[in-house]
Amino acid sequence: MGLVVVGAAGRMGRSLIETIAAMDGVYLAAALEQPGSAALGCDAGELAGLPRNEVLVTDDAATAFGKAEGVVDFTAPQASLNFAALAAEAGIVHVLGTTGMGPDCDAPLRSAADRACIVKSGNMSLGVNLLSELVEQAARALAAADWDIEVLEMHHRHKVDAPSGTALLLGEAAAAGRGIALADHAVRSRDGQTGARPDQAIGFATLRGGSVVGEHEVLFAGEGEMIELTHRALDRSIFARGAVKAALWGRGKSPGLYSMRDVLGLSSPR
Ligand SMILES: NC(=O)C1=CN([C@@H]2O[C@H](COP(=O)(O)OP(=O)(O)OC[C@H]3O[C@@H](n4cnc5c(N)ncnc54)[C@H](OP(=O)(O)O)[C@@H]3O)[C@@H](O)[C@H]2O)C=CC1
Ligand SMILES: O=C(O)C1=N[C@H](C(=O)O)C[C@H](O)C1
């Protein structure tokens, strides 16, 4: 399966190029960056610290999408909306890992998903998607009791969105377990005289610094006891491998908006 990596010079782009070279059943069909990028014309293999692969980084999206069966996209929200439209036009699988996409992105993504298979997730790793199942189960089991739910995350200093896509995914899982809507109960920041914690709140705390790949913790805080469910990403290849697995899974699938839970055969998406 030929894959286009968009955002090829980014942290995830380079990890994807390396992962695609190491995995069976896929090859790098094209590597894309935006106009003006210093990476244009560079050899994609060398960009990822590998031997030359003779795939030169381009900004010609239409040609790149025309010669692939899938696009793997970890870029930025507006760029990802454009790539969703292009992938739909080309009829290829779009694996969408970009986070920080607000509710305004829902309608254009659904429209693209009417024409092509999109697999979208705030975290493509097996571990986090399994964790989201555990969080949902715990929240369901503790729904009737007096347990407060808080989601903590830490990432590297370069991250531009907060809370992380993963934190929101875990918050959604907790809300689903509780049978409530996250949008009605999320507390995304606290400062000053906040008042006491509202019943049913799902709180988020964001830390940024250094080179942390990604750490997430869901706390269930009860009277006199606490449950802590944690995931630590040690290497970006966990996201890249999940993304490639999603592309292979999506080949030949009917158009639609799918999640990593679908890919991994975990319970049905919310
Ligand atoms: N779902 C998941 O499992 C994961 C999601 N992510 C998410 O992926 C995204 C990227 O993360 P990361 O790799 O760390 O970020 P980087 O900033 O390192 O990489 C993003 C790359 O995309 C490029 N880009 C931006 N716009 C375009 C465009 N229009 N066309 C082509 N390339 C473009 C950027 O170029 P330039 O520098 O010139 O702007 C940059 O090279 C974030 O939203 C992050 O949260 C990250 C890891 C895992
Ligand atoms: O920006 C990152 O680096 C990451 N982003 C994703 C998120 O927002 O949750 C996934 C992972 O934690 C790394």
Side-chain angles (χ1 to χ4, degrees):
M1 181 178 191
L3 297 175
V4 185
V5 172
V6 295
R11 281 173 288 275
M12 278 306 299
R14 282 175 279 131
S15 179
L16 282 158
I17 293 167
E18 201 179 344
T19 297
I20 289 168
M23 278 178 76
D24 289 335
V26 285
Y27 67 91
L28 184 68
L32 200 83
E33 263 296 338
Q34 55 185 335
S37 166
L40 293 178
C42 293
D43 182 272
E46 286 184 343
L47 202 58
L50 302 172
R52 285 184 71 83
N53 61 13
E54 305 305 333
V55 176
L56 302 186
V57 178
T58 176
D59 61 2
D60 180 356
T63 303
F65 281 43
K67 55 183 174 189
E69 287 180 87
V71 53
V72 198
D73 174 6
F74 293 72
T75 56
Q78 188 52 52
S80 289
L81 287 184
N82 295 340
F83 293 136
L86 283 173
E89 211 169 296
I92 64 175
V93 180
H94 184 192
V95 178
L96 177 41
T98 304
T99 57
M101 301 189 73
D104 49 317
C105 298
D106 289 351
L109 281 183
R110 292 217 169 266
S111 149
D114 286 341
R115 292 176 287 152
C117 166
I118 301 179
V119 181
K120 178 175 182 287
S121 177
N123 197 304
M124 300 280 173
S125 76
L126 171 62
V128 158
N129 285 281
L130 181 59
L131 175 65
S132 77
E133 283 267 339
L134 300 175
V135 166
E136 187 170 337
Q137 278 178 29
R140 185 171 297 115
L142 301 170
D146 186 18
W147 291 76
D148 299 326
I149 304 177
E150 296 280 311
V151 184
L152 280 63
E153 54 116 334
M154 181 161 187
H155 284 86
H156 53 93
R157 63 167 69 97
H158 304 288
K159 187 161 177 63
V160 295
D161 56 306
S164 69
T166 310
L168 293 170
L169 176 157
L170 295 170
E172 289 286 0
R178 278 250 159 117
I180 58 176
L182 181 64
D184 297 339
H185 295 280
V187 176
R188 292 169 65 134
S189 64
R190 296 186 178 104
D191 188 26
Q193 290 290 317
T194 59
R197 192 181 195 285
D199 283 347
Q200 299 282 50
I202 296 179
F204 291 87
T206 299
L207 301 174
R208 293 285 177 268
S211 58
V212 176
V213 174
E215 300 198 354
H216 294 89
E217 186 167 16
V218 182
L219 301 180
F220 293 85
E223 283 295 328
E225 57 183 328
M226 187 133 90
I227 299 168
E228 304 172 0
L229 299 177
T230 302
H231 180 269
R232 286 197 184 89
L234 306 178
D235 192 294
R236 288 190 173 82
S237 62
I238 62 170
F239 313 125
R241 279 199 304 274
V244 172
K245 198 166 176 178
L248 287 164
W249 176 89
R251 184 156 60 163
K253 281 271 175 319
S254 305
L257 187 54
Y258 300 94
S259 74
M260 267 322 266
R261 280 194 173 195
D262 296 313
V263 174
L264 297 170
L266 300 171
S267 68
S268 54
R270 292 172 297 276

